[in-house]
Amino acid sequence: MDIIYCCYGGAHSSPIAAAIHIGQLNSEQIPTASEIWNVQLYDRVESSDRGKVNFIGEDECGNRVYVCGRGSEKQGIEQAIKSGILLAGGSTDGLVFIDTLPAVNILMRIGGFMSRKLKWVRLGRPLVIKGTQLAFFDLVRIVTAAKKEYGIDCAEAKSKPEKRKTH
């Protein structure tokens, strides 16, 4: 399965959700500023990267996890990605888009705008990191709900006893 976490710019909530999904961040505790900063692509994506699908890693079941900034064009970007896959001869079966925008708070919006759009990184980054810490458990809930909805919760599957055939 290919899982694409999407947010407005692809620089904050979607990289954190992807990091939670692949186990890079502990879903039971709020990460430190340093742990957040160490997340691949966090606060490093430019507006010109919008619509680009970035590979983050694989989860414990081998599902590929990506992030994508889609701006205000949710349906348009998703359709373009699907069309590109089909034009390249691929299949969109098993392709899942997960929206992380519901977790984004005002500090993330203001800090992200200052850091990415205005290039006021020294002012914006501390705000967006604090906002990310405040939104962290909302992002955990989005990842957990998506894993359950799409049947991609590998940890849950591994904890269930296997049925053995008897002769």
Side-chain angles (χ1 to χ4, degrees):
M1 183 168 281
D2 293 301
I3 300 123
I4 303 175
Y5 286 96
C6 300
C7 62
Y8 187 85
H12 302 108
S13 63
S14 59
I16 294 298
I20 293 165
H21 185 113
I22 65 172
Q24 180 185 355
L25 292 175
N26 180 347
S27 63
E28 296 180 9
Q29 67 181 39
I30 295 172
T32 65
S34 177
E35 289 170 325
I36 290 171
W37 177 240
N38 286 326
V39 168
Q40 183 182 349
L41 301 179
Y42 186 85
D43 203 40
R44 294 176 181 90
V45 177
E46 301 298 328
S47 300
S48 59
D49 294 323
R50 200 160 295 138
K52 181 179 178 187
V53 178
N54 294 293
F55 179 71
I56 299 300
E58 289 188 0
D59 67 15
E60 62 271 22
C61 287
N63 297 306
R64 292 168 304 277
V65 179
Y66 304 84
V67 299
C68 179
R70 62 165 196 247
S72 57
E73 279 298 315
K74 177 181 178 176
Q75 188 173 4
I77 293 293
E78 290 180 12
Q79 279 303 114
I81 291 168
K82 288 177 183 177
S83 295
I85 290 169
L86 293 171
L87 285 169
S91 171
T92 58
D93 293 343
L95 177 63
V96 177
F97 291 89
I98 300 168
D99 184 9
T100 61
L101 276 176
V104 175
N105 56 43
I106 192 71
L107 285 178
M108 292 177 79
R109 290 180 196 278
I110 293 170
F113 179 78
M114 291 170 70
S115 179
R116 304 312 326 138
K117 187 73 170 176
L118 300 177
K119 307 290 186 211
W120 297 350
V121 176
R122 291 177 69 178
L123 294 173
R125 186 166 293 150
L127 289 176
V128 77
I129 286 175
K130 182 62 177 173
T132 300
Q133 289 172 320
L134 293 171
F136 185 73
F137 290 118
D138 291 330
L139 289 165
V140 168
R141 281 188 279 284
I142 288 170
V143 171
T144 302
K147 284 183 169 188
K148 186 174 183 176
E149 180 179 349
Y150 296 107
I152 50 179
D153 190 352
C154 302
E156 186 177 297
K158 288 180 180 179
S159 68
K160 292 181 182 175
E162 290 184 38
K163 292 184 181 180
R164 297 181 184 226
K165 291 183 181 179
T166 56
H167 299 293

